């Protein structure tokens, strides 16, 4: 469907989608096949081998492009496979400037895999664009932004960072996993590449691991497609189907994630046993004004530190939760709690972790779409 002029809440359901040509199936069939019959060598219907392309994956890729306001979508076997493809655009000696307060796995692939191949990474606090400008030199090829950041919920001004890349050959990539296109559209703000762990909010049901890239530029899309096909970390047909199904309710889920997130952030802030709550919707959040400008709402991701809390206190709280599940990941319909220092951010050296504020007692919540009274009662009993 020609979807350019549709509103977001319609694009999630119809963007880039047509009923299946074979039988008119309204939902894209799961084409669980590796290969496709040809009538004569090269005589096929656009599909030859499922690493190169698969109709269910195409349906997902078209949906991704539509909801992010891009032209081309690429679906990968995981968010990290999508990141891997972006860094493979680079050559030894090229430099990357990255957010310092970063998803642990992104930090790990940058430092432990690609540094070996001669790509140089600078990790910078990006709350001011000046810090980014200071690191730019003739070797800079990519700026990697994650906003809101994980787990500190800092907000980076995408437009201001994009302005630094204008008229240069530096690409700007934004990890939009936390915000989703419901809240923020990086391509509209000047980014060249949007990346997703579709495992999280896009899939939305904690039932699959998928990654995505969306771009506007054809040449960049061709290069990324070449890498995707050559390296092979593609998303399978069943997983493509699950994320497509998830995207259809993204806007209604996000609305509730945001409502529940606000109620829980305010509850935690008013609780005398809590030292600090990190959520960009607070007026006194240091980057609240940017969040208000570039995001539609503030999301359901919240981090907090119990008063006088230690590593063990944080562990006790997360173990006591009953409605929240103690688990890695985020963005599903169910509420999850995590302890970054021992879970998602354990692969980041302690000094670096502390420098960005990830103290031992920090707890991260992915607020789900359950009844918020039950969620607050659960936190209340665990914090007691
Ligand atoms: C989970 C996550 C990733 C990695 O995605 P996978 O699908 O787990 O490979 C990258 N960035 C952010 C912000 C994430 O939350």
């Amino acid at each position: 469907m020609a979807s350019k002029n549709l509103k977001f809440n319609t694009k999630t359901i119809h963007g880039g989608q047509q009923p299946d040509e074979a039988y008119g199936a309204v939902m894209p069939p799961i084409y669980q096949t590796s290969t496709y019959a040809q009538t004569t060598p090269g005589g096929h219907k656009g599909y030859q081998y499922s690493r190169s392309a698969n109709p269910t994956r195409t349906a997902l890729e078209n949906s991704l492009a539509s909801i992010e306001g891009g032209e081309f979508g690429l679906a990968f076997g995981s968010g990290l496979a999508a990141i891997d493809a972006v860094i493979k655009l680079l050559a030894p000696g090229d430099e990357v400037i990255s957010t310092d307060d970063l998803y642990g796995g992104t930090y790990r692939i940058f430092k432990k895999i690609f540094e070996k191949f001669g790509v140089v990474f600078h990790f910078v606090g990006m709350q001011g664009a000046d810090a980014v400008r200071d690191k730019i030199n003739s070797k800079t090829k990519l700026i990697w932004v994650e906003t809101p950041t994980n787990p500190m919920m800092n907000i980076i001004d995408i437009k201001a960072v994009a302005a630094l890349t204008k008229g240069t050959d530096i690409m700007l990539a934004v990890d939009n996993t936390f915000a989703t296109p419901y809240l923020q559209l990086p391509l509209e703000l000047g980014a060249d590449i949007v990346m997703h762990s579709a495992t999280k909010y896009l899939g939305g049901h904690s039932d699959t691991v998928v990654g995505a890239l969306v771009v506007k530029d054809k040449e960049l899309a061709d290069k990324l497609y070449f890498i995707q096909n050559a390296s092979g970390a593609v998303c399978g047909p069943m997983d493509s189907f699950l994320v497509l199904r998830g995207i259809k309710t993204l806007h209604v889920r996000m609305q509730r994630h945001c409502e529940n997130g606000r109620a829980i952030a305010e509850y935690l802030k008013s609780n005398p046993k809590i030292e600090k709550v990190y959520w960009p919707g607070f007026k006194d959040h240091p980057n609240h004004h940017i969040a208000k400008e570039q995001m539609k709402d503030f999301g359901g991701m919240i981090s907090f530190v119990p008063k006088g809390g230690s590593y063990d206190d944080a562990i006790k709280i997360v173990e006591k939760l009953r409605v929240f599940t103690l688990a890695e990941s985020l963005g599903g319909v169910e509420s999850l709690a995590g302890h970054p220092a021992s879970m998602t951010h354990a692969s980041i050296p302690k000094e670096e972790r502390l420098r960005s504020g990830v103290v031992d007692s920090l707890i991260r919540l992915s607020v789900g779409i359950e009844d918020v009274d039950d969620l607050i009662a659960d936190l209340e009993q665990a914090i007691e």
Side-chain angles (χ1 to χ4, degrees):
M1 180 182 287
S3 58
K4 284 259 152 33
N5 300 320
L6 298 174
K7 303 259 197 234
F8 184 80
N9 296 353
T10 310
K11 282 183 180 175
T12 53
I13 296 165
H14 298 293
Q17 306 302 304
Q18 291 97 31
D20 183 60
E21 279 182 16
Y23 299 107
V26 169
M27 285 304 290
I30 302 165
Y31 282 97
Q32 195 70 52
T33 185
S34 60
T35 191
Y36 305 80
Q38 307 192 8
T39 49
T40 179
H44 55 75
K45 299 178 175 169
Y47 295 92
Q48 306 172 61
Y49 185 62
S50 283
R51 169 159 38 70
S52 308
N54 170 285
T56 319
R57 197 173 93 218
T58 304
L60 171 60
E61 291 175 334
N62 291 342
S63 167
L64 291 164
S66 169
I67 60 174
E68 282 289 355
E71 297 290 336
F72 307 95
L74 296 117
F76 292 83
S78 70
L80 279 163
I83 296 170
D84 178 81
V86 174
I87 306 302
K88 283 175 177 162
L89 292 165
L90 307 179
D94 286 349
E95 297 194 6
V96 180
I97 304 171
S98 164
T99 311
D100 61 347
D101 170 18
L102 195 64
Y103 177 73
T106 308
Y107 177 86
R108 183 176 55 197
I109 194 172
F110 286 177
K111 286 292 281 185
K112 303 269 169 77
I113 306 281
F114 284 108
E115 221 169 58
K116 273 196 316 215
F117 293 93
V119 180
V120 178
F121 295 90
H122 302 285
F123 297 92
V124 175
M126 292 191 175
Q127 280 74 261
D130 286 350
V132 183
R133 186 184 296 115
D134 288 349
K135 283 279 180 227
I136 294 180
N137 63 47
S138 59
K139 293 181 192 146
T140 309
K141 291 285 146 45
L142 175 70
I143 300 179
W144 188 273
V145 167
E146 197 179 304
T147 181
T149 66
N150 177 17
M152 298 312 295
M153 312 302 154
N154 288 312
I155 302 293
I156 294 163
D157 187 339
I158 297 172
K159 237 189 215 165
V161 177
L164 300 175
T165 67
K166 284 272 143 56
T168 72
D169 63 350
I170 303 170
M171 291 176 291
L172 172 60
V174 176
D175 182 336
N176 208 25
T177 301
F178 269 39
T180 82
Y182 174 82
L183 293 177
Q184 144 185 309
L185 292 166
L187 296 176
E188 270 183 15
L189 298 168
D192 302 292
I193 302 174
V194 172
M195 175 259 150
H196 273 281
S197 170
T199 313
K200 316 293 169 53
Y201 286 106
L202 298 188
H205 296 75
S206 305
D207 53 8
T208 183
V209 175
V210 170
L213 299 175
V214 180
V215 303
K216 280 185 164 169
D217 182 69
K218 170 88 167 69
E219 206 182 313
L220 181 55
D222 288 347
K223 284 185 193 162
L224 288 166
Y225 173 72
F226 180 84
I227 293 168
Q228 183 192 41
N229 185 44
S231 290
V234 296
C235 169
M238 179 72 196
D239 299 299
S240 299
F241 175 88
L242 287 171
V243 175
L244 260 170
R245 168 200 257 245
I247 288 173
K248 286 180 191 291
T249 56
L250 178 66
H251 51 298
V252 278
R253 286 185 287 109
M254 286 308 291
Q255 188 179 351
R256 183 61 65 84
H257 283 297
C258 291
E259 285 167 18
N260 284 359
R262 173 181 299 277
I264 286 175
E266 281 166 1
Y267 156 73
L268 288 170
K269 199 171 194 177
S270 70
N271 187 326
K273 293 206 165 81
I274 301 303
E275 173 85 39
K276 188 106 183 79
V277 186
Y278 299 93
W279 179 66
F282 290 133
K283 288 208 172 62
D284 61 358
H285 180 286
N287 323 115
H288 176 69
H289 59 291
I290 302 165
K292 246 180 101 172
E293 178 91 19
Q294 75 185 12
M295 297 169 73
K296 181 186 159 102
D297 203 335
F298 304 105
M301 295 302 299
I302 300 166
S303 293
F304 69 97
V305 178
K307 202 161 265 177
S310 63
Y311 190 96
D312 292 340
D313 292 330
I315 302 274
K316 259 184 233 147
I317 292 175
V318 294
E319 282 178 353
K320 271 192 147 175
L321 289 166
R322 289 293 166 262
V323 183
F324 281 83
T325 303
L326 173 60
E328 307 239 356
S329 201
L330 60 111
V333 290
E334 69 293 315
S335 291
L336 301 180
H339 179 237
S342 66
M343 297 166 70
T344 46
H345 288 61
S347 63
I348 299 181
K350 183 162 176 174
E351 317 80 68
E352 243 159 281
R353 179 158 66 67
L354 291 179
R355 216 182 312 133
S356 49
V358 186
V359 296
D360 284 347
S361 59
L362 187 84
I363 294 169
R364 188 190 78 179
L365 302 178
S366 168
V367 177
I369 64 172
E370 301 96 334
D371 192 297
V372 74
D373 293 343
D374 290 332
L375 297 178
I376 290 176
D378 192 33
L379 286 166
E380 180 82 15
Q381 64 80 24
I383 292 164
E384 271 312 298

